[in-house]
């Protein structure tokens, strides 16, 4: 347990300023995330340094395709989330409260994260599995230790953060891998149980433009919810106009799960349509995820169509790009190597 950052007393409650929920939390209660609690009038971060999940993953599994492709990241997560997505793949930890998870949480001080990354030859660390924004005190300390050790850092996030929260971690995070789950407030209310989409889009823009993070966008395409052409075109258009044509867009297949178990899997044809829409809107890099289709994860040069990076199920099997450029024509690929 650690005293939280970004909060203020408000009468007999405390108000958290980390995410747009702006929870006003009574004594002994936690915010919507479940992990930031009012203890005797002080907001405490209940999961500081408490790990539920840790693994060595290919960075492609996040998915991040244009930042040190082919490398491994030490991936760490805890419990709790700011959203309640009906199709969450990690609901066992994202919907868990710290007091319910005593036997699942293990202490991992920030300096040990760096030691483990070196031990397992990981050049980077990813904050992932549950929503890392709610873990911000730990993220700051780990990311600072990583920066000093020459390791890169990745936030795998739903993007639900205030400007104040983003500015806290902005100098320390290298990659903002953000979910964009729809393009309207109604879609976010239905799918994620948050009232509006605007903070997600605005903070992705700030991460890219102000903090110069590498940004990649993921949309899990859910039948009847965000699979219509208007939604897909709206997301692709926003990426192009707000972030840039070179930003990778990963459109991934939904499988029946949790609250949305009655829906069918996303037809592969819908993902292909999303790819066509993304290209028509001017995006250079659109990838299909959760499908076994040759070439769907390959990075193609938008200038000469050469294969710059060939992938198979999260693994890089051939890498011809050099210093972020196409080996054939020299076109910049918005890729850090």
């Amino acid at each position: 347990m650690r005293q939280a950052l970004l909060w203020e007393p408000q009468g007999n409650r405390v108000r958290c300023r980390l995410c747009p929920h702006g929870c006003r939390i009574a004594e002994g209660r936690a915010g919507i995330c479940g992990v930031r609690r009012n203890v005797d009038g002080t907001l405490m971060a209940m999961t500081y340094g408490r790990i539920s999940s840790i693994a060595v993953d290919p960075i492609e599994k996040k998915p991040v395709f244009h930042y040190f492709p082919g490398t491994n990241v030490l991936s760490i997560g805890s419990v709790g989330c700011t959203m309640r997505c009906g199709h969450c793949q990690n609901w066992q930890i994202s919907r868990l409260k710290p007091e319910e998870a005593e036997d699942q949480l293990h202490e991992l001080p920030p300096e040990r994260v760096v030691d483990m990354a070196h031990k397992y030859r990981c050049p980077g660390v990813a904050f992932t599995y549950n929503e890392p924004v709610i873990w911000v005190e730990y993220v700051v300390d780990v990311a600072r230790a990583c920066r000093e050790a020459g390791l890169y850092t990745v936030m795998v996030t739903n993007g639900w953060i205030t400007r104040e929260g983003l500015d806290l971690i902005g100098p320390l995070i290298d990659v903002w891998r953000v979910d964009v789950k729809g393009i309207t407030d109604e879609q976010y209310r239905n799918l994620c149980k948050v009232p509006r989409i605007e903070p997600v889009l605005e903070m992705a823009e700030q991460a890219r433009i102000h903090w110069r993070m590498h940004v990649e966008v993921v949309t899990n395409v859910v039948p009847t919810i965000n699979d219509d052409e208007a939604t897909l075109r709206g997301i692709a258009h926003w990426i192009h106009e707000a972030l840039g044509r070179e930003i990778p867009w990963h459109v991934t297949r939904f499988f029946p799960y949790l609250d949305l178990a009655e829906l069918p899997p996303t037809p592969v044809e819908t993902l292909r349509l999303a790819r066509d829409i993304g290209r028509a809107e001017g995006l250079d890099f659109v990838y299909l995820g959760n499908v076994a289709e040759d070439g769907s994860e390959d990075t193609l040069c938008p200038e000469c169509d050469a294969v710059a990076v060939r992938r198979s199920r999260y693994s890089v099997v051939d890498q011809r790009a050099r210093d972020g450029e196409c080996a054939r024509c020299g076109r910049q690929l918005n890729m850090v190597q």
Side-chain angles (χ1 to χ4, degrees), residues 86-106:
H87 60 318
C88 180
Q89 295 292 301
N90 290 331
W91 67 271
Q92 294 95 334
I93 59 172
S94 71
R95 296 188 180 185
L96 202 61
K97 295 179 172 58
E99 59 270 22
E100 301 168 338
E102 291 299 328
D103 59 340
Q104 298 182 42
L105 295 173
H106 306 280

Side-chain angles (χ1 to χ4, degrees), residues 314-330:
Y314 308 127
S315 296
V316 170
V317 296
D318 188 18
Q319 188 164 181
R320 300 180 185 179
R322 294 291 181 270
D323 298 324
E325 298 179 351
C326 173
R328 178 189 288 176
C329 72

Side-chain angles (χ1 to χ4, degrees), residues 2 42 57 67 72 79 101 103 117 175 201 214 244 253 272 278 280 285 288 305 317 336:
R2 182 71 58 94
T42 298
D57 290 325
Y67 202 86
N72 286 331
V79 296
D103 59 340
V175 180
L201 303 185
H214 176 85
R253 192 181 193 194
R272 294 180 186 137
F285 307 105
L288 308 190
D305 211 36
V317 296
V336 177

Side-chain angles (χ1 to χ4, degrees), residues 169-304:
I169 60 176
L172 299 168
I173 299 297
D174 297 301
V175 180
W176 191 253
R177 211 293 285 135
V178 62
D179 294 311
V180 176
K181 302 169 187 285
I183 201 63
T184 68
D185 291 345
E186 182 180 7
Q187 287 168 330
Y188 264 71
R189 286 193 295 267
N190 290 341
L191 194 59
C192 320
K193 306 301 184 289
V194 298
R196 54 201 171 97
I197 186 178
E198 183 182 20
V200 176
L201 303 185
E202 286 188 350
M203 292 308 102
E205 294 171 30
Q206 287 297 316
R208 165 74 167 162
I209 297 164
H210 181 76
W211 289 111
R212 304 292 182 185
M213 294 184 202
H214 176 85
V215 175
E216 302 200 17
V217 176
V218 173
T219 301
N220 190 231
V221 182
V222 183
T224 75
I225 296 179
N226 64 358
D227 64 337
D228 59 286
E229 184 172 343
T231 294
L232 298 172
R233 192 170 299 280
I235 297 171
H237 181 78
W238 168 76
I239 294 171
H240 184 276
E241 296 301 309
L243 301 180
R245 64 179 299 158
E246 69 277 12
I247 297 301
W249 185 29
H250 304 262
V251 288
T252 62
R253 192 181 193 194
F254 161 86
F255 289 98
Y257 202 67
L258 199 58
D259 302 338
L260 303 181
E262 77 284 358
L263 295 178
T266 314
V268 177
E269 292 76 12
T270 302
L271 300 184
R272 294 180 186 137
L273 172 63
R275 180 175 57 196
D276 292 343
I277 288 171
R279 289 173 176 173
E281 288 293 327
L283 298 182
D284 289 337
F285 307 105
V286 185
Y287 300 102
L288 308 190
N290 299 337
V291 295
E293 182 165 282
D294 288 345
S296 64
E297 297 178 320
D298 294 347
T299 298
L300 304 181
C301 174
E303 186 71 28
C304 70

Side-chain angles (χ1 to χ4, degrees), residues 14 40 56 61 78 116 140-141 153 164 190 197 204 220 223 233 293 298 326:
V14 297
D40 297 328
V56 174
K61 196 172 181 179
S78 188
M116 291 185 71
V140 165
D141 288 348
T153 52
E164 194 176 8
N190 290 341
I197 186 178
N220 190 231
R233 192 170 299 280
E293 182 165 282
D298 294 347
C326 173

Side-chain angles (χ1 to χ4, degrees), residues 58-115:
I59 194 169
E60 280 78 12
K61 196 172 181 179
K62 300 300 104 186
V64 172
F65 281 12
H66 284 236
Y67 202 86
F68 290 104
T71 61
N72 286 331
V73 288
L74 184 70
S75 301
I76 54 176
S78 188
V79 296
C81 189
T82 50
M83 295 184 180
R84 195 174 178 88
C85 298
H87 60 318
C88 180
Q89 295 292 301
N90 290 331
W91 67 271
Q92 294 95 334
I93 59 172
S94 71
R95 296 188 180 185
L96 202 61
K97 295 179 172 58
E99 59 270 22
E100 301 168 338
E102 291 299 328
D103 59 340
Q104 298 182 42
L105 295 173
H106 306 280
E107 298 290 333
L108 187 65
E111 61 274 13
R112 283 285 295 133
V113 177
V114 171
D115 291 342

